[in-house]
Amino acid sequence: MYKYSVFLFCIFLLAACSEQKETPEVRIRNMVSAMESAVQQRSLDQVKELVSSDYSDEWNSDRRAALRSLLFYFQGHQSIHLLTRISDIQLNDDASKASVTVYVGMAGQPVEKSASLIDLNADLYRFDVDLIADGDQWLVSSARWQKARVENFDF
């Protein structure tokens, strides 16, 4: 019983230490990864968890409209594979808000490296995303996007 208790205590300590070392930037990178996974799985519910209820964008879309647009994208693409590259993360002074620039290659087949984006005829975009901290989680509060070039993925 003693060995079992010591083992559980060590696991608890390791978990506590890892949580303390998780910086806002690491949490942002994890959120981008979670968003990538949710989109590839075509899970609107998982995406919804990562979008602020106060979401808005330059086209006057709110959260509901943005999720509806994503649903239409899911319906038009039975297989979604993404290659994401974070090029910049900027935090405000108190780490309650952040801006992230993410390049995303979207294809119907798996994309393992930027060189294959051209061969797969992937759609390439630059997303400038504003995030807001909600406890230990980051939520998308706004997004802008534009076409990108394959050169933008080499960094």
Side-chain angles (χ1 to χ4, degrees):
M1 181 70 169
Y2 173 74
K3 289 180 184 178
Y4 184 72
S5 298
V6 170
F7 176 73
L8 286 178
F9 181 71
C10 289
I11 296 294
F12 172 76
L13 281 178
L14 287 173
C17 290
S18 67
E19 286 178 18
Q20 291 174 354
K21 292 181 182 179
E22 194 171 77
T23 65
E25 183 175 318
V26 168
R27 287 195 303 272
I28 289 169
R29 289 182 182 280
N30 290 340
M31 188 279 300
V32 170
S33 179
M35 182 68 79
E36 177 183 16
S37 178
V39 170
Q40 289 184 134
Q41 293 173 20
R42 302 173 67 240
S43 174
L44 201 58
D45 288 337
Q46 289 179 21
V47 171
K48 186 192 298 189
E49 292 177 12
L50 301 171
V51 179
S52 169
S53 59
D54 296 326
Y55 175 89
S56 66
D57 60 37
E58 62 186 317
W59 295 279
N60 297 319
S61 293
D62 59 9
R63 179 181 191 218
R64 185 177 176 153
L67 292 171
R68 190 172 39 251
S69 294
L70 187 58
L71 177 62
F72 290 140
Y73 186 81
F74 288 169
Q75 290 172 342
H77 299 83
Q78 295 304 311
S79 180
I80 302 170
H81 298 275
L82 305 178
L83 177 70
T84 61
R85 299 285 191 256
I86 298 173
S87 73
D88 188 40
I89 296 175
Q90 297 290 320
L91 292 159
N92 72 346
D93 290 339
D94 65 354
S96 64
K97 294 182 180 180
S99 297
V100 182
T101 299
V102 183
Y103 289 93
V104 181
M106 302 178 200
Q109 299 174 37
V111 183
E112 296 190 16
K113 55 186 178 180
S114 58
S116 51
L117 290 169
I118 294 174
D119 297 336
L120 295 173
N121 197 26
D123 293 326
L124 309 177
Y125 289 94
R126 172 187 166 148
F127 288 87
D128 294 302
V129 183
D130 294 326
L131 305 173
I132 188 162
D134 183 19
D136 286 340
Q137 183 178 15
W138 287 95
L139 301 175
V140 176
S141 61
S142 180
R144 294 161 307 286
W145 54 91
Q146 62 189 9
K147 290 281 191 178
R149 296 185 316 224
V150 74
E151 301 85 42
N152 299 126
F153 288 80
D154 296 325
F155 48 87

